[in-house]
């Protein structure tokens, strides 16, 4: 997809410089050459890019976000909110009061739906997000980080975006009525 959008194959590491410049030109946001080299396998290092980087690349490819891009590529990836063990949950499809638990390699979070896609944290192993916080996220999806786009604690808006489970992604999701 990147090569098609760029109009040039990405065969050597120098092609990542061309790609970085084209992303800057079309999206007006920067993705570093070294990051692109890591993502395309030309350079070793951390293999899981930040969600903000993935969002920029998705915008370059014509999608509003990384998750929207994934959904457009494979619409079957979105789970249904009516099963107890889905692969993905769209938070706006949850009923008010429904509870979701998501587990990643070093943590777990339990969220209760407040309505209109807003969730309150019931339990959390993360120090970044604590019980009582109110968050918004579009989709909770296995194999992807939990990407929090709005985070409020005691009526104070905290910095976002905030990914949880960004190294391995969410390992399991459980929907509790």
């Amino acid at each position: 997809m990147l090569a098609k959008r760029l109009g040039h194959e990405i065969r050597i590491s120098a092609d990542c410089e061309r790609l970085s410049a084209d992303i800057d030109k079309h999206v007006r946001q920067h993705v570093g050459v070294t990051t692109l080299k890591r993502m395309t396998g030309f350079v070793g290092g951390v293999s899981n890019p930040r969600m903000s980087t993935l969002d920029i690349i998705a915008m370059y490819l014509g999608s509003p976000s990384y998750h929207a891009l994934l959904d457009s590529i494979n619409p079957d990836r979105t789970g249904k909110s009516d099963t107890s063990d889905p692969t993905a949950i769209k938070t706006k499809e949850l009923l008010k009061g429904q509870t979701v638990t998501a587990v990643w390699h070093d943590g777990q979070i339990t969220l209760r739906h407040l309505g209109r896609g807003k969730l309150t944290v019931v339990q959390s192993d993360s120090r970044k997000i604590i019980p009582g916080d109110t968050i918004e996220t579009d989709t909770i999806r296995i194999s992807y980080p939990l990407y929090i786009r709005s985070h409020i604690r005691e009526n104070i808006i905290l910095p976002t975006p905030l990914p949880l489970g960004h190294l391995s992604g969410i390992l399991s999701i459980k929907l509790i009525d």
Side-chain angles (χ1 to χ4, degrees), residues 52-96:
S52 58
T53 301
L54 295 173
D55 282 338
I56 292 168
I57 291 171
M59 286 186 280
Y60 175 70
L61 294 171
S63 187
S65 71
Y66 176 66
H67 289 299
L69 176 65
L70 291 176
D71 291 344
S72 72
I73 294 169
N74 186 359
D76 293 336
R77 291 188 63 83
T78 57
K80 306 248 186 284
S81 296
D82 59 355
T83 61
S84 63
D85 206 12
T87 58
I89 295 173
K90 290 189 174 191
T91 57
K92 290 189 179 183
E93 293 177 1
L94 291 171
L95 299 174
K96 189 173 182 180

Side-chain angles (χ1 to χ4, degrees), residues 20-146:
S20 178
D22 205 49
I23 291 170
D24 281 345
K25 176 182 170 187
H26 288 92
V27 182
R28 299 186 193 270
Q29 294 193 52
H30 182 71
V31 177
V33 174
T34 303
T35 298
L36 293 170
K37 287 179 180 180
R38 282 188 190 111
M39 291 177 71
T40 53
F42 291 111
V43 174
V46 177
S47 60
N48 292 323
R50 294 180 181 176
M51 187 58 66
S52 58
T53 301
L54 295 173
D55 282 338
I56 292 168
I57 291 171
M59 286 186 280
Y60 175 70
L61 294 171
S63 187
S65 71
Y66 176 66
H67 289 299
L69 176 65
L70 291 176
D71 291 344
S72 72
I73 294 169
N74 186 359
D76 293 336
R77 291 188 63 83
T78 57
K80 306 248 186 284
S81 296
D82 59 355
T83 61
S84 63
D85 206 12
T87 58
I89 295 173
K90 290 189 174 191
T91 57
K92 290 189 179 183
E93 293 177 1
L94 291 171
L95 299 174
K96 189 173 182 180
Q98 279 187 304
T99 303
V100 177
T101 298
V103 177
W104 57 94
H105 82 282
D106 64 348
Q108 175 176 317
I109 192 166
T110 302
L111 306 163
R112 182 173 299 113
H113 190 244
L114 300 172
R116 296 184 176 170
K118 292 186 181 199
L119 304 139
T120 187
V121 179
V122 176
Q123 179 276 328
S124 174
D125 292 342
S126 171
R127 288 179 285 177
K128 297 176 184 177
I129 187 164
I130 62 172
D133 287 0
T134 300
I135 67 162
E136 287 183 68
T137 185
D138 296 321
T139 306
I140 304 169
R141 178 174 289 133
I142 290 179
S143 299
Y144 296 92
L146 174 59

Side-chain angles (χ1 to χ4, degrees), residues 7-20:
H8 181 78
E9 289 295 318
I10 304 169
R11 292 176 289 155
I12 59 175
S13 64
D15 294 330
C16 293
E17 293 174 23
R18 180 185 237 176
L19 178 60
S20 178

